[in-house]
Amino acid sequence: MNIVVASDDNYAIHLLTLLVSIGENNKQTDIDFHILDGGINLDSKNKINEILKIYENIEVHYYEMTEKKLEEMLGGRIKKDRSLLAYARLFIPKLISGERALYLDVDGIVNSDLDELYNVNLDGKAIGGVLDTNPIERHYNVGLNNDSIYINSGMILFDLNKCRELDFTKLCLDFVEGYNGKVDAMDQGTINGAVSSKNQIEVLNPKFNVFTSLFQLSSSEIKKIYNLSFYYTDNEIEEACKNPVFVHFTPNMTTRPWVEHCKHPLKNEYWKYRKQVDSSIVYENDKRSRKLKFLGFIYRNFPSNVYVFLTNLRGKNLRGKK
């Protein structure tokens, strides 16, 4: 099983936590753990080696992905709102051999055996993922429409053979170039804009990437807030939250488990795995804006329709400024 992650040293502790969660829940599977390395230091790599002594079924491989190297690989002139390491996943079909690869963001934990996800039917498509909860404008900004599939790029299952046939990496790089290096949502916008337009994305069960908003909003609320024409049913979302395979700690109406004020229902699961790496509990400061903190307060203390109304109002104001 090929599992791919990307991290620099700032997120090394979360990489280690994810690695432990994978090891604990997948002891019967041989795993090649591919790390797209954005600058992980020697101390962190030594900790990874210590973990590997416990999980002998996991073998780690590193791929240098510094900002300078990525800028060259991407052809330069990239406009970014975060590290270029986000774009490293575009090169997975070029870097990884075999038939499949599972990419996971490091801000999450694996909660069960990964065999079902890894072997899920992609119906001949190049990649599979879970529909995201993002404003419909994200679709429009990368040339898609209301009916287009738009997935969250924090978990992507690659059919490597199909990706090579499609020339996935070149397709994505050409897309970035076509937008002069300025793609909305960077890697996520690129993958959706380039691949969804070719009808090469299979929509997967939401349990395979349960990001925070799925724990907080109903299907109708998600569609209303983000102006989406379709989404998963309430039953699908409820089952996903009860039995998540990958818990993705996106900061929606709350912080992540390692940041103060976190209200995520599974934050203790994160700390269960992290304590096997580092027994100390240190929380980062909550750096959300006042507006986001206020919306989080409204969500927790008022009926959901109040939150939906204010979020829609905020979205209309943002759209009016464009």
Side-chain angles (χ1 to χ4, degrees), residues 5-11 15 35-41 45 62-70 83-86 88:
V5 300
S7 181
D8 58 17
D9 204 63
N10 293 321
Y11 262 64
L15 165 61
I35 300 176
L36 308 179
D37 180 3
I40 302 171
N41 69 31
K45 289 181 178 179
Y62 292 95
Y63 304 80
E64 182 187 3
M65 289 285 171
T66 61
E67 288 279 306
K68 182 179 179 180
K69 183 170 183 177
L70 276 166
S83 169
L84 284 179
L85 191 59

Side-chain angles (χ1 to χ4, degrees), residues 64-93:
E64 182 187 3
M65 289 285 171
T66 61
E67 288 279 306
K68 182 179 179 180
K69 183 170 183 177
L70 276 166
E71 191 166 2
E72 292 173 355
M73 294 170 74
L74 290 162
R77 298 186 308 159
I78 300 296
K79 296 176 177 64
K80 59 178 183 174
D81 54 29
R82 58 189 183 279
S83 169
L84 284 179
L85 191 59
Y87 276 116
R89 71 201 76 184
L90 304 186
F91 300 95
I92 287 173

